[in-house]
Amino acid sequence: MKPIGYWLNRTDLALTTTMNAMLAEYGLTRLTWQVLNVVAADPRTTDTTVLTSLTANASPAELTDAITAVLADGWVLRPAAEQLAPTEDSRARLARVGERVAAFREASVAGISPEEYRTAVGVLERMALNLESDRGH
């Protein structure tokens, strides 16, 4: 049996590769999709909010590049300095992309019961918290 790190890395790579391919037709990546979700959740989102919310997903430089990309592609705009908001056009575009992402998520958990999924996520959460709490020791 391979160790958990192997399966974590392989799963993350598979998620990213598959999602990037699926989102390419919309000019998005997994990371830009995640940025858009943070922005869509709060109309007063700031760059700092995105960086803080997605700190486990990418480096600050990668997140800054993702913010720049969604701005350049017209998904979001800057109503004020450091503030991000979805454009009117992006709301409809996000709904279409959301349908594809929902299908992707469904395919990714095929054969996995909701209970198995919750257990797996719970175990990974506890493992992360265990390791993060040990950083101070």
Side-chain angles (χ1 to χ4, degrees):
M1 183 161 111
K2 300 232 186 249
I4 195 164
Y6 170 86
W7 289 110
L8 287 171
N9 290 332
R10 185 169 167 184
T11 301
D12 187 57
L13 179 61
L15 287 168
T16 299
T17 302
T18 305
M19 196 164 189
N20 285 351
M22 189 253 324
L23 294 172
E25 72 180 272
Y26 302 99
L28 296 171
T29 64
R30 181 182 181 199
L31 188 56
T32 55
W33 169 252
Q34 292 165 338
V35 168
L36 289 173
N37 280 294
V38 172
V39 173
D42 180 2
R44 295 169 292 143
T45 299
T46 64
D47 293 49
T48 301
T49 304
V50 171
L51 294 171
T52 302
S53 298
L54 299 175
T55 189
N57 300 46
S59 70
E62 291 168 319
L63 289 167
T64 299
D65 289 347
I67 291 168
T68 300
V70 297
L71 283 164
D73 291 343
W75 288 94
V76 300
L77 52 82
R78 284 203 184 279
E82 294 295 309
Q83 190 175 359
L84 300 164
T87 63
E88 282 303 316
D89 179 53
S90 75
R91 293 181 196 282
R93 290 165 56 194
L94 280 172
R96 288 191 300 275
V97 177
E99 292 171 6
R100 293 288 304 278
V101 171
F104 162 79
R105 288 179 179 154
E106 188 175 316
S108 72
V109 296
I112 300 169
S113 73
E115 183 176 297
E116 288 173 312
Y117 182 83
R118 281 190 300 276
T119 298
V121 170
V123 167
L124 293 173
E125 179 182 18
R126 279 182 281 152
M127 184 178 259
L129 293 172
N130 288 343
L131 294 169
E132 290 167 356
S133 69
D134 282 348
R135 285 185 194 162
H137 298 314

